[in-house]
Amino acid sequence: MVRVTTPDHLPQQPPEASSARAAPDRRVVLRSGIALAAGTVGAGTLAAGCSATGAVAHPVARTRSAPPAAPARSAPAAAPAPRRFPDQPVEIVHGPRTHPQVALTFHGQGDPAIARAVLDEAEKGGAHVTVLAVGSWLDEHPDLARRILDGGHDLGNHTLRHLDINAMSEAEADAEIRGCAQRLRRLTGSIGTWFRPSRTAHASPLVESLAHGAGYPHVLSYDVDSLDFTSPGAPAVTRKITGEVRNGSVVSLHFGYADTVAALPAVLEDLNRRGLRAVTTTELLS
């Protein structure tokens, strides 16, 4: 038997030998690359080439589809513009007495928290109302214009500063009407559906003419005054309204008074019991 002994330390090979062994690997890779470029190498050959060089194969990266784009937010539609009702006079005091509907109309001014509470109570009771907003109030609380419209309510013009418009000169009164109209247009795209003069139940002929020139075919008055602005207490406000309201009535109320918020549920309950629907002024006259 021939015994073969292995030395403890193998003789170190010159660098050339190591390079010679590595060269075939590089040539394999080079040949694979040339073949791939020529379109003659298959997936299996390419995989073998990667394996021969000791490279770790990476999984093919999955192309992530882009997340769906958020839908473009369209601009809010413009609010309704004023309408002319041929069967109605220039100054509207009430609607048709033949239909079981009434319009609750609010002077839009005062504490915005109370204004929101009024709108919330109205909506809880299934009512749509009409808000005649003061222009300077809209300057301070511009978000309320859209809140009113989004609730399905009418929004109109109650002058710029809520001063005694019948006592003004023509130029001053015109500026009051148009100033509020401009704010409404900027906020909603419309001058509003209605105009109501400030500090008076009835517009003078001059104010009627100026309102018409500004784009309002009618001036909105009322036949039931709740007197809520005198803060008589919620029961008194309720009695005043329910004692006078009837088919076609237009009721005057105000934002900014706690008595109004407290009275509204009872008012709406009484209207419902009597079969009277609280609708916008536009619906009342349509």
PDB file of all heavy atoms in Angstrom, residues 225-252:
ATOM      1  N   ASP A 225     -94.138  89.059  12.972  1.00  0.00           N
ATOM      2  CA  ASP A 225     -92.907  89.503  13.619  1.00  0.00           C
ATOM      3  C   ASP A 225     -92.790  88.787  14.961  1.00  0.00           C
ATOM      4  O   ASP A 225     -93.619  88.986  15.860  1.00  0.00           O
ATOM      5  CB  ASP A 225     -92.940  91.022  13.832  1.00  0.00           C
ATOM      6  CG  ASP A 225     -91.599  91.578  14.290  1.00  0.00           C
ATOM      7  OD1 ASP A 225     -90.719  90.778  14.670  1.00  0.00           O
ATOM      8  OD2 ASP A 225     -91.431  92.814  14.271  1.00  0.00           O
ATOM      9  N   SER A 226     -91.767  87.962  15.111  1.00  0.00           N
ATOM     10  CA  SER A 226     -91.614  87.175  16.344  1.00  0.00           C
ATOM     11  C   SER A 226     -91.209  88.024  17.540  1.00  0.00           C
ATOM     12  O   SER A 226     -91.380  87.594  18.689  1.00  0.00           O
ATOM     13  CB  SER A 226     -90.540  86.096  16.132  1.00  0.00           C
ATOM     14  OG  SER A 226     -89.258  86.704  16.004  1.00  0.00           O
ATOM     15  N   LEU A 227     -90.645  89.211  17.280  1.00  0.00           N
ATOM     16  CA  LEU A 227     -90.120  90.087  18.336  1.00  0.00           C
ATOM     17  C   LEU A 227     -89.052  89.411  19.180  1.00  0.00           C
ATOM     18  O   LEU A 227     -88.820  89.777  20.338  1.00  0.00           O
ATOM     19  CB  LEU A 227     -91.261  90.586  19.235  1.00  0.00           C
ATOM     20  CG  LEU A 227     -92.345  91.427  18.544  1.00  0.00           C
ATOM     21  CD1 LEU A 227     -93.421  91.827  19.543  1.00  0.00           C
ATOM     22  CD2 LEU A 227     -91.737  92.668  17.885  1.00  0.00           C
ATOM     23  N   ASP A 228     -88.377  88.413  18.601  1.00  0.00           N
ATOM     24  CA  ASP A 228     -87.338  87.704  19.360  1.00  0.00           C
ATOM     25  C   ASP A 228     -86.167  88.616  19.729  1.00  0.00           C
ATOM     26  O   ASP A 228     -85.471  88.370  20.720  1.00  0.00           O
ATOM     27  CB  ASP A 228     -86.846  86.482  18.584  1.00  0.00           C
ATOM     28  CG  ASP A 228     -86.274  86.833  17.215  1.00  0.00           C
ATOM     29  OD1 ASP A 228     -86.477  87.969  16.738  1.00  0.00           O
ATOM     30  OD2 ASP A 228     -85.618  85.955  16.605  1.00  0.00           O
ATOM     31  N   PHE A 229     -85.966  89.690  18.968  1.00  0.00           N
ATOM     32  CA  PHE A 229     -84.850  90.599  19.247  1.00  0.00           C
ATOM     33  C   PHE A 229     -85.049  91.395  20.535  1.00  0.00           C
ATOM     34  O   PHE A 229     -84.118  92.033  21.032  1.00  0.00           O
ATOM     35  CB  PHE A 229     -84.630  91.559  18.067  1.00  0.00           C
ATOM     36  CG  PHE A 229     -85.794  92.461  17.785  1.00  0.00           C
ATOM     37  CD1 PHE A 229     -85.860  93.727  18.354  1.00  0.00           C
ATOM     38  CD2 PHE A 229     -86.827  92.060  16.948  1.00  0.00           C
ATOM     39  CE1 PHE A 229     -86.930  94.574  18.098  1.00  0.00           C
ATOM     40  CE2 PHE A 229     -87.900  92.893  16.687  1.00  0.00           C
ATOM     41  CZ  PHE A 229     -87.960  94.160  17.267  1.00  0.00           C
ATOM     42  N   THR A 230     -86.246  91.357  21.095  1.00  0.00           N
ATOM     43  CA  THR A 230     -86.498  92.022  22.379  1.00  0.00           C
ATOM     44  C   THR A 230     -86.185  91.108  23.558  1.00  0.00           C
ATOM     45  O   THR A 230     -86.339  91.512  24.722  1.00  0.00           O
ATOM     46  CB  THR A 230     -87.959  92.481  22.478  1.00  0.00           C
ATOM     47  OG1 THR A 230     -88.824  91.344  22.469  1.00  0.00           O
ATOM     48  CG2 THR A 230     -88.329  93.399  21.315  1.00  0.00           C
ATOM     49  N   SER A 231     -85.768  89.878  23.275  1.00  0.00           N
ATOM     50  CA  SER A 231     -85.445  88.876  24.304  1.00  0.00           C
ATOM     51  C   SER A 231     -86.563  88.716  25.335  1.00  0.00           C
ATOM     52  O   SER A 231     -86.352  88.840  26.550  1.00  0.00           O
ATOM     53  CB  SER A 231     -84.127  89.249  25.009  1.00  0.00           C
ATOM     54  OG  SER A 231     -83.061  89.240  24.090  1.00  0.00           O
ATOM     55  N   PRO A 232     -87.778  88.379  24.867  1.00  0.00           N
ATOM     56  CA  PRO A 232     -88.899  88.237  25.800  1.00  0.00           C
ATOM     57  C   PRO A 232     -88.961  86.877  26.473  1.00  0.00           C
ATOM     58  O   PRO A 232     -89.837  86.644  27.312  1.00  0.00           O
ATOM     59  CB  PRO A 232     -90.106  88.422  24.884  1.00  0.00           C
ATOM     60  CG  PRO A 232     -89.657  87.828  23.576  1.00  0.00           C
ATOM     61  CD  PRO A 232     -88.187  88.134  23.474  1.00  0.00           C
ATOM     62  N   GLY A 233     -88.073  85.967  26.117  1.00  0.00           N
ATOM     63  CA  GLY A 233     -88.123  84.592  26.622  1.00  0.00           C
ATOM     64  C   GLY A 233     -88.676  83.672  25.539  1.00  0.00           C
ATOM     65  O   GLY A 233     -89.523  84.065  24.728  1.00  0.00           O
ATOM     66  N   ALA A 234     -88.207  82.450  25.543  1.00  0.00           N
ATOM     67  CA  ALA A 234     -88.601  81.492  24.510  1.00  0.00           C
ATOM     68  C   ALA A 234     -90.105  81.247  24.455  1.00  0.00           C
ATOM     69  O   ALA A 234     -90.689  81.208  23.369  1.00  0.00           O
ATOM     70  CB  ALA A 234     -87.856  80.171  24.711  1.00  0.00           C
ATOM     71  N   PRO A 235     -90.799  81.089  25.604  1.00  0.00           N
ATOM     72  CA  PRO A 235     -92.251  80.860  25.523  1.00  0.00           C
ATOM     73  C   PRO A 235     -92.991  82.008  24.836  1.00  0.00           C
ATOM     74  O   PRO A 235     -93.939  81.775  24.071  1.00  0.00           O
ATOM     75  CB  PRO A 235     -92.667  80.716  26.990  1.00  0.00           C
ATOM     76  CG  PRO A 235     -91.432  80.244  27.694  1.00  0.00           C
ATOM     77  CD  PRO A 235     -90.310  80.942  27.007  1.00  0.00           C
ATOM     78  N   ALA A 236     -92.548  83.244  25.075  1.00  0.00           N
ATOM     79  CA  ALA A 236     -93.206  84.392  24.450  1.00  0.00           C
ATOM     80  C   ALA A 236     -92.975  84.397  22.939  1.00  0.00           C
ATOM     81  O   ALA A 236     -93.874  84.720  22.158  1.00  0.00           O
ATOM     82  CB  ALA A 236     -92.694  85.688  25.067  1.00  0.00           C
ATOM     83  N   VAL A 237     -91.759  84.048  22.523  1.00  0.00           N
ATOM     84  CA  VAL A 237     -91.479  83.969  21.091  1.00  0.00           C
ATOM     85  C   VAL A 237     -92.351  82.900  20.449  1.00  0.00           C
ATOM     86  O   VAL A 237     -92.948  83.120  19.379  1.00  0.00           O
ATOM     87  CB  VAL A 237     -89.980  83.663  20.852  1.00  0.00           C
ATOM     88  CG1 VAL A 237     -89.710  83.408  19.370  1.00  0.00           C
ATOM     89  CG2 VAL A 237     -89.110  84.806  21.354  1.00  0.00           C
ATOM     90  N   THR A 238     -92.460  81.757  21.097  1.00  0.00           N
ATOM     91  CA  THR A 238     -93.284  80.668  20.568  1.00  0.00           C
ATOM     92  C   THR A 238     -94.736  81.096  20.450  1.00  0.00           C
ATOM     93  O   THR A 238     -95.392  80.870  19.420  1.00  0.00           O
ATOM     94  CB  THR A 238     -93.168  79.426  21.474  1.00  0.00           C
ATOM     95  OG1 THR A 238     -91.805  79.020  21.555  1.00  0.00           O
ATOM     96  CG2 THR A 238     -94.009  78.287  20.947  1.00  0.00           C
ATOM     97  N   ARG A 239     -95.269  81.718  21.489  1.00  0.00           N
ATOM     98  CA  ARG A 239     -96.681  82.147  21.464  1.00  0.00           C
ATOM     99  C   ARG A 239     -96.929  83.174  20.365  1.00  0.00           C
ATOM    100  O   ARG A 239     -97.961  83.135  19.684  1.00  0.00           O
ATOM    101  CB  ARG A 239     -97.081  82.739  22.820  1.00  0.00           C
ATOM    102  CG  ARG A 239     -97.278  81.718  23.924  1.00  0.00           C
ATOM    103  CD  ARG A 239     -97.998  82.337  25.125  1.00  0.00           C
ATOM    104  NE  ARG A 239     -97.252  83.483  25.664  1.00  0.00           N
ATOM    105  CZ  ARG A 239     -96.307  83.383  26.615  1.00  0.00           C
ATOM    106  NH1 ARG A 239     -95.996  82.185  27.107  1.00  0.00           N
ATOM    107  NH2 ARG A 239     -95.700  84.459  27.082  1.00  0.00           N
ATOM    108  N   LYS A 240     -96.009  84.092  20.191  1.00  0.00           N
ATOM    109  CA  LYS A 240     -96.185  85.140  19.185  1.00  0.00           C
ATOM    110  C   LYS A 240     -96.258  84.540  17.785  1.00  0.00           C
ATOM    111  O   LYS A 240     -97.106  84.926  16.972  1.00  0.00           O
ATOM    112  CB  LYS A 240     -95.007  86.128  19.255  1.00  0.00           C
ATOM    113  CG  LYS A 240     -95.120  87.335  18.338  1.00  0.00           C
ATOM    114  CD  LYS A 240     -96.174  88.306  18.836  1.00  0.00           C
ATOM    115  CE  LYS A 240     -96.074  89.679  18.166  1.00  0.00           C
ATOM    116  NZ  LYS A 240     -96.268  89.690  16.726  1.00  0.00           N
ATOM    117  N   ILE A 241     -95.391  83.599  17.512  1.00  0.00           N
ATOM    118  CA  ILE A 241     -95.376  82.994  16.179  1.00  0.00           C
ATOM    119  C   ILE A 241     -96.580  82.095  15.971  1.00  0.00           C
ATOM    120  O   ILE A 241     -97.325  82.239  14.989  1.00  0.00           O
ATOM    121  CB  ILE A 241     -94.070  82.201  15.961  1.00  0.00           C
ATOM    122  CG1 ILE A 241     -92.866  83.144  15.987  1.00  0.00           C
ATOM    123  CG2 ILE A 241     -94.117  81.439  14.638  1.00  0.00           C
ATOM    124  CD1 ILE A 241     -91.529  82.429  15.974  1.00  0.00           C
ATOM    125  N   THR A 242     -96.791  81.163  16.879  1.00  0.00           N
ATOM    126  CA  THR A 242     -97.865  80.185  16.686  1.00  0.00           C
ATOM    127  C   THR A 242     -99.244  80.836  16.748  1.00  0.00           C
ATOM    128  O   THR A 242    -100.205  80.318  16.168  1.00  0.00           O
ATOM    129  CB  THR A 242     -97.767  79.059  17.729  1.00  0.00           C
ATOM    130  OG1 THR A 242     -97.845  79.625  19.053  1.00  0.00           O
ATOM    131  CG2 THR A 242     -96.458  78.307  17.592  1.00  0.00           C
ATOM    132  N   GLY A 243     -99.357  81.962  17.431  1.00  0.00           N
ATOM    133  CA  GLY A 243    -100.653  82.650  17.507  1.00  0.00           C
ATOM    134  C   GLY A 243    -100.999  83.414  16.243  1.00  0.00           C
ATOM    135  O   GLY A 243    -102.179  83.746  16.023  1.00  0.00           O
ATOM    136  N   GLU A 244    -100.020  83.712  15.386  1.00  0.00           N
ATOM    137  CA  GLU A 244    -100.282  84.537  14.202  1.00  0.00           C
ATOM    138  C   GLU A 244    -100.012  83.832  12.874  1.00  0.00           C
ATOM    139  O   GLU A 244    -100.520  84.256  11.835  1.00  0.00           O
ATOM    140  CB  GLU A 244     -99.433  85.810  14.263  1.00  0.00           C
ATOM    141  CG  GLU A 244     -99.729  86.692  15.472  1.00  0.00           C
ATOM    142  CD  GLU A 244     -98.852  87.933  15.511  1.00  0.00           C
ATOM    143  OE1 GLU A 244     -98.229  88.263  14.477  1.00  0.00           O
ATOM    144  OE2 GLU A 244     -98.785  88.578  16.582  1.00  0.00           O
ATOM    145  N   VAL A 245     -99.229  82.772  12.900  1.00  0.00           N
ATOM    146  CA  VAL A 245     -98.832  82.140  11.643  1.00  0.00           C
ATOM    147  C   VAL A 245     -99.999  81.403  11.002  1.00  0.00           C
ATOM    148  O   VAL A 245    -100.861  80.851  11.695  1.00  0.00           O
ATOM    149  CB  VAL A 245     -97.645  81.180  11.898  1.00  0.00           C
ATOM    150  CG1 VAL A 245     -98.087  79.919  12.629  1.00  0.00           C
ATOM    151  CG2 VAL A 245     -96.929  80.844  10.605  1.00  0.00           C
ATOM    152  N   ARG A 246    -100.026  81.425   9.683  1.00  0.00           N
ATOM    153  CA  ARG A 246    -101.032  80.673   8.926  1.00  0.00           C
ATOM    154  C   ARG A 246    -100.473  80.379   7.537  1.00  0.00           C
ATOM    155  O   ARG A 246     -99.329  80.740   7.233  1.00  0.00           O
ATOM    156  CB  ARG A 246    -102.345  81.438   8.836  1.00  0.00           C
ATOM    157  CG  ARG A 246    -102.260  82.832   8.242  1.00  0.00           C
ATOM    158  CD  ARG A 246    -103.529  83.606   8.530  1.00  0.00           C
ATOM    159  NE  ARG A 246    -103.517  84.966   8.025  1.00  0.00           N
ATOM    160  CZ  ARG A 246    -104.243  85.394   7.005  1.00  0.00           C
ATOM    161  NH1 ARG A 246    -105.040  84.547   6.359  1.00  0.00           N
ATOM    162  NH2 ARG A 246    -104.197  86.658   6.626  1.00  0.00           N
ATOM    163  N   ASN A 247    -101.279  79.750   6.702  1.00  0.00           N
ATOM    164  CA  ASN A 247    -100.812  79.411   5.358  1.00  0.00           C
ATOM    165  C   ASN A 247    -100.163  80.616   4.684  1.00  0.00           C
ATOM    166  O   ASN A 247    -100.745  81.709   4.632  1.00  0.00           O
ATOM    167  CB  ASN A 247    -101.982  78.946   4.485  1.00  0.00           C
ATOM    168  CG  ASN A 247    -102.444  77.543   4.810  1.00  0.00           C
ATOM    169  OD1 ASN A 247    -101.959  76.926   5.762  1.00  0.00           O
ATOM    170  ND2 ASN A 247    -103.382  77.022   4.034  1.00  0.00           N
ATOM    171  N   GLY A 248     -98.967  80.408   4.147  1.00  0.00           N
ATOM    172  CA  GLY A 248     -98.308  81.457   3.379  1.00  0.00           C
ATOM    173  C   GLY A 248     -97.555  82.489   4.190  1.00  0.00           C
ATOM    174  O   GLY A 248     -96.942  83.397   3.605  1.00  0.00           O
ATOM    175  N   SER A 249     -97.564  82.399   5.514  1.00  0.00           N
ATOM    176  CA  SER A 249     -96.916  83.426   6.337  1.00  0.00           C
ATOM    177  C   SER A 249     -95.409  83.470   6.120  1.00  0.00           C
ATOM    178  O   SER A 249     -94.757  82.442   5.894  1.00  0.00           O
ATOM    179  CB  SER A 249     -97.198  83.182   7.824  1.00  0.00           C
ATOM    180  OG  SER A 249     -98.499  83.578   8.162  1.00  0.00           O
ATOM    181  N   VAL A 250     -94.867  84.682   6.217  1.00  0.00           N
ATOM    182  CA  VAL A 250     -93.425  84.917   6.244  1.00  0.00           C
ATOM    183  C   VAL A 250     -93.110  85.460   7.634  1.00  0.00           C
ATOM    184  O   VAL A 250     -93.604  86.524   8.022  1.00  0.00           O
ATOM    185  CB  VAL A 250     -92.982  85.910   5.159  1.00  0.00           C
ATOM    186  CG1 VAL A 250     -91.480  86.189   5.275  1.00  0.00           C
ATOM    187  CG2 VAL A 250     -93.321  85.377   3.765  1.00  0.00           C
ATOM    188  N   VAL A 251     -92.324  84.720   8.395  1.00  0.00           N
ATOM    189  CA  VAL A 251     -92.056  85.050   9.797  1.00  0.00           C
ATOM    190  C   VAL A 251     -90.675  85.691   9.919  1.00  0.00           C
ATOM    191  O   VAL A 251     -89.700  85.193   9.351  1.00  0.00           O
ATOM    192  CB  VAL A 251     -92.118  83.788  10.684  1.00  0.00           C
ATOM    193  CG1 VAL A 251     -91.922  84.141  12.156  1.00  0.00           C
ATOM    194  CG2 VAL A 251     -93.444  83.055  10.466  1.00  0.00           C
ATOM    195  N   SER A 252     -90.604  86.790  10.656  1.00  0.00           N
ATOM    196  CA  SER A 252     -89.333  87.467  10.895  1.00  0.00           C
ATOM    197  C   SER A 252     -88.720  86.983  12.202  1.00  0.00           C
ATOM    198  O   SER A 252     -89.338  87.085  13.266  1.00  0.00           O
ATOM    199  CB  SER A 252     -89.546  88.986  10.963  1.00  0.00           C
ATOM    200  OG  SER A 252     -88.366  89.639  11.382  1.00  0.00           O
TER     201      SER A 252
END
